Amino acid sequence: MDSYVKFASSDGLPTLGFVALILGLGKGGVPGLATVATAATVLTAPTDITGGLGFAVALMVPILTMIDIYAAWLHRVALDWPTIWLLLPTSFVGMLLGQVLDKFMTDKGARLLVGFILLGILALRTWKDAVGFFCPKWAIENQLSGESKEDKIARKESDDERDCLVEVIQCSENDQDIEQGSKKSNITTTRRTQQLASSTKIMWACIVGIIGGAATMLTNSMGPILNVYLLSVAELSPQSYIGTRAAFFCFLNLGKLPIRVMGGTLGMPMLPLAAGLGLVAVAGVFLAKPIML
């Protein structure tokens, strides 16, 4: 640990300061920078120090905690607490799994893991665009891009209904009864759709929690996976996404601190350095808001 602190306080300080700044900007909502910071943390970890990657990842935990507390407070009005409570249980299970894997994984293996995780996230984010580019007809038929035939029919029907608004108003009582029955049917269908959507969210929450929890213990790389869930599955607004993400990681990082201390990768000599870098990262969060505006 002393060797790493010496390195991080001298030759590695400019790099760590830059990583902390872009990490703060990413946590503040600038797209993609949190992922870049994760990759940079792994790539810039010293290879000539035994356990260098473990120390580099552990150093980021108190920094991330400071950032997330500030970001959560900044966006406290828009937090989505149900999403947080849904993700936390399986994420802690994933953290325990990651702690077990950490005992058997080398620095080289951890670097490869981060690479595969980031490639997987890239694939998740771009596969629909790729399918739409190479197979546009199939993509439109399967509602992956463009406007499907059903959408066109629905839009046309909507236009026809608007043109016949006067006739609808003059419907008989019998027609009104039929319409009420149709509304009840639509309500039932909507409820079924909501139940299906809820089941899908729970399923993805379990997957993201276990895989992401393990990834965050190994390399602090849960962020990209969580981003996909919050934006694509939970469908949060930009402000709610930032605050919910930060509040979730507050709980997660507070749980990681004692685990890192007990694992020997985080100790008192690292705390002054972490506090200084944390202030740089918090400044990044503060700067991100006007950038996003």
Side-chain angles (χ1 to χ4, degrees), residues 118-128 204 224-225 228 232:
L118 295 180
L119 285 174
I121 295 304
L122 180 63
L124 283 173
R125 288 185 173 182
T126 60
W127 76 274
K128 287 186 178 181
W204 278 108
I225 304 173
V228 173
S232 301

Side-chain angles (χ1 to χ4, degrees), residues 153-169 171 179 182 186:
I153 293 172
R155 178 166 51 81
K156 187 177 183 302
E157 289 177 350
S158 178
D159 293 339
D160 293 341
E161 289 175 0
R162 187 166 52 250
D163 293 337
C164 299
L165 182 60
V166 176
E167 296 180 11
V168 172
I169 294 175
C171 283
E179 185 180 353
S182 177
N186 290 336

Side-chain angles (χ1 to χ4, degrees), residues 86-255:
L86 183 62
L87 285 166
L88 278 177
T90 52
S91 297
F92 281 115
V93 172
M95 286 171 59
L96 295 175
L97 177 62
Q99 182 64 13
V100 173
L101 291 175
D102 190 40
K103 296 180 181 179
F104 303 99
M105 186 169 288
T106 62
D107 282 5
K108 183 178 180 180
R111 293 173 195 270
L112 287 173
L113 175 64
V114 172
F116 281 119
I117 290 173
L118 295 180
L119 285 174
I121 295 304
L122 180 63
L124 283 173
R125 288 185 173 182
T126 60
W127 76 274
K128 287 186 178 181
D129 294 333
V131 170
F133 179 79
F134 291 106
C135 306
K137 185 177 179 181
W138 185 87
I140 292 174
E141 289 176 351
N142 290 273
Q143 300 183 17
L144 296 178
S145 65
E147 187 178 32
S148 65
K149 294 179 180 179
E150 291 79 4
D151 292 335
K152 291 179 180 178
I153 293 172
R155 178 166 51 81
K156 187 177 183 302
E157 289 177 350
S158 178
D159 293 339
D160 293 341
E161 289 175 0
R162 187 166 52 250
D163 293 337
C164 299
L165 182 60
V166 176
E167 296 180 11
V168 172
I169 294 175
Q170 296 175 350
C171 283
S172 64
E173 293 182 358
N174 185 39
D175 290 336
Q176 290 178 358
D177 293 338
I178 293 174
E179 185 180 353
Q180 289 176 358
S182 177
K183 287 182 179 179
K184 291 180 180 178
S185 177
N186 290 336
I187 292 172
T188 303
T189 304
T190 302
R191 286 176 179 174
R192 289 176 181 174
T193 303
Q194 290 175 346
Q195 289 174 356
L196 182 61
S198 179
S199 301
T200 302
K201 285 185 179 181
I202 293 173
M203 180 190 71
W204 278 108
C206 292
I207 295 173
V208 170
I210 293 174
I211 296 177
T216 196
M217 280 305 301
L218 293 169
T219 54
N220 290 333
S221 55
M222 185 179 182
I225 304 173
L226 183 66
N227 293 347
V228 173
Y229 177 84
L230 295 179
L231 294 174
S232 301
V233 180
E235 298 180 341
L236 301 183
S237 66
Q239 187 176 6
S240 180
Y241 154 74
I242 296 170
T244 301
R245 187 181 191 275
F248 171 77
F249 276 124
C250 278
F251 292 105
L252 218 60
N253 289 322
L254 288 173

